[in-house]
Amino acid sequence: MKITGVETFLVAPRWLFLKVSTDEGISGWGEPVVEGRAETVRAAVHELSELLIGQDPLRIEDHWQVLRRGGFYRGGPVLSSALAGFDHALWDIAGKVRNAPVHELLGGPVRDRIRVYSWVGGDRPSGIREAVSAQVEAGFTAVKMNVAGPLTAIASPADVTAAIARAWEAREVLGPHRDLAIDFHGRVSPAMARRLVKLLEDVQPMFVEEPVLPETQGDALRSVVEASTVPIAVGERLYSRWEFKPVLDAGVAVVQPDPSHAGGISELRRIGALAEMYGASLAPHCPLGPISLAASMQVAFATPNFLIQEQSVGMHYHEGHEHAYLTDPSVFAFQDGYAARPLGPGLGIEVDEAAVRRADEVGHAWRSPVWRHEDGGLAEW
């Protein structure tokens, strides 16, 4: 079997899909994308494809090593995301060749279903009580919300009080038997992060995500970990196991590699194993499309220290697109806050190629918002 073709598809709302074809008619799908930089990743995918055309698709690990290490400059969000998409597609092909879901090729399932959480509140959280109530009624046992909109380096008492009040609104709806995760989204300075996590202790969040920016995740991250008993989670802007080791050394409780950014299924598996050595849990970051979610779920079913899976069905800027590119979206029919084990071969989904090709004719130009503080200075989104 040889790889004969690589195609990419820019599809709404902000995704990039990849199809890898072979001379035996078996194809695999991946989702290589950086939100807001889809065209840039698309170019990287086609550059890297030169290393794969004519090769045996089943040599997954060898291809992973070549795609990552075959260039003198390596890593970073663009190249790691391009690599991730290829890795998804090659595992998809391998599963189809062997007529088995990917998690069986990873050693088999270690659980019968995986817990998932849902987003509430948007980028500038509001209507928390109503939004959380809707997710509870839908059967979810855990939700995640942003702590606030833009925050200054030393936020006002009013902004701090409002953030804590929103968390309490969610907790009151969820009660003591459901979980709340809180995302700081890197919008908070280390000093404010230490203050906020301490004030959130009584809310008992399942974790606080990305309390500081990834470029400050050294002593600053350790200081936040040590400031309270709240479990700290990081990882959506880390792209390899080498980048995860320092944050695990800092004491984080949860790692959140993204299947579309951190080298795909192969590297998520290794990051999870590394976290296991530290007693930390794996909660994959996954606010993207159906291929990325399918890849992430395959890892979740085969990972002993898996905690919970992010998914973006109904997310504020994805609504109406979640199932547009699948012939059968029932694999994502969550029940009681859980996803059932996918039994189909490969990634366990069937991509509607005709719908993907139609969407690519339109494409998209999604960009991350640019926020400003009241004084005109740039704010973290």
Side-chain angles (χ1 to χ4, degrees):
M1 180 183 292
K2 302 295 182 185
I3 295 172
T4 55
V6 170
E7 297 176 272
T8 53
F9 306 92
L10 200 65
V11 301
R14 57 176 189 165
W15 305 333
L16 180 70
F17 293 170
L18 162 67
K19 180 185 179 184
V20 175
S21 301
T22 71
D23 59 355
E24 294 188 12
I26 297 174
S27 59
W29 288 87
E31 189 170 341
V33 67
V34 174
E35 298 93 307
R37 297 289 182 265
E39 298 97 326
T40 309
V41 178
R42 188 179 212 176
V45 166
H46 287 286
E47 286 181 3
L48 290 175
S49 69
E50 299 169 6
L51 298 168
L52 292 181
I53 298 296
Q55 300 297 314
D56 178 356
L58 300 182
R59 297 186 61 179
I60 298 173
E61 182 60 29
D62 186 60
H63 294 319
W64 193 97
Q65 296 294 333
V66 170
L67 292 173
R68 176 171 171 86
R69 298 168 53 205
F72 185 75
Y73 297 99
R74 57 191 68 164
V78 172
L79 292 176
S80 294
S81 297
L83 166 57
F86 279 118
D87 193 70
H88 300 162
L90 297 181
W91 278 107
D92 194 26
I93 290 171
K96 291 172 180 175
V97 168
R98 296 174 173 87
N99 195 32
V102 168
H103 65 264
E104 290 190 2
L105 307 185
L106 297 176
V110 295
R111 55 184 52 83
D112 299 320
R113 57 181 185 165
I114 59 169
R115 194 179 182 205
V116 300
Y117 65 80
S118 191
W119 262 94
V120 296
D123 283 331
R124 288 182 167 93
S126 61
I128 295 300
R129 190 175 298 276
E130 296 79 8
V132 174
S133 295
Q135 297 302 334
V136 170
E137 291 173 8
F140 289 96
T141 63
V143 300
K144 187 171 81 175
M145 57 179 277
N146 282 316
V147 65
L151 289 173
T152 56
I154 305 297
S156 70
D159 285 341
V160 171
T161 299
I164 302 303
R166 279 189 290 269
W168 272 114
E169 275 192 89
R171 172 53 67 205
E172 288 166 4
V173 175
L174 292 166
H177 300 297
R178 300 182 184 91
D179 282 310
L180 170 66
I182 299 176
D183 191 355
F184 281 21
H185 217 248
R187 298 171 184 169
V188 182
S189 69
M192 289 311 304
R194 291 190 291 270
R195 177 175 291 178
L196 283 167
V197 294
K198 188 67 176 176
L199 292 171
L200 285 167
E201 279 188 320
D202 288 343
V203 180
Q204 297 189 55
M206 178 166 55
F207 56 76
V208 160
E209 176 177 334
E210 205 175 35
V212 295
L213 290 167
E215 52 263 39
T216 60
Q217 285 178 357
D219 291 339
L221 178 60
R222 183 184 296 276
S223 74
V224 176
V225 171
E226 294 174 350
S228 80
T229 60
V230 174
I232 300 301
V234 299
E236 69 179 88
R237 288 188 273 186
L238 303 178
Y239 310 113
S240 72
R241 75 200 92 148
W242 296 279
E243 294 181 357
F244 275 91
K245 186 180 184 301
V247 303
L248 287 162
D249 288 336
V252 301
V254 181
V255 295
Q256 299 175 295
D258 189 298
S260 281
H261 302 327
I265 290 169
S266 297
E267 191 70 350
L268 251 68
R269 179 87 161 135
R270 291 186 279 255
I271 292 166
L274 176 64
E276 187 178 13
M277 293 174 59
Y278 287 80
S281 299
L282 177 73
H285 179 261
C286 193
L288 288 167
I291 301 173
S292 182
L293 180 57
S296 195
M297 287 173 56
Q298 295 293 337
V299 175
F301 274 100
T303 301
N305 56 322
F306 167 81
L307 176 66
I308 196 166
Q309 175 67 59
E310 180 173 28
Q311 54 83 30
S312 64
V313 174
M315 198 174 184
H316 41 290
Y317 36 59
H318 287 179
E319 193 168 0
H321 292 93
E322 297 93 336
H323 303 319
Y325 307 115
L326 299 181
T327 59
D328 180 9
S330 63
V331 67
F332 301 137
F334 309 125
Q335 185 172 4
D336 299 326
Y338 285 86
R341 185 162 65 93
L343 301 178
L347 296 181
I349 57 173
E350 188 68 37
V351 174
D352 186 341
E353 186 169 335
V356 169
R357 292 186 181 277
R358 286 194 300 270
D360 182 58
E361 293 175 359
V362 178
H364 69 82
W366 191 91
R367 298 291 183 265
S368 300
V370 175
W371 283 1
R372 297 278 178 180
H373 290 299
E374 291 182 1
D375 66 359
L378 184 65
E380 293 291 341
W381 169 52

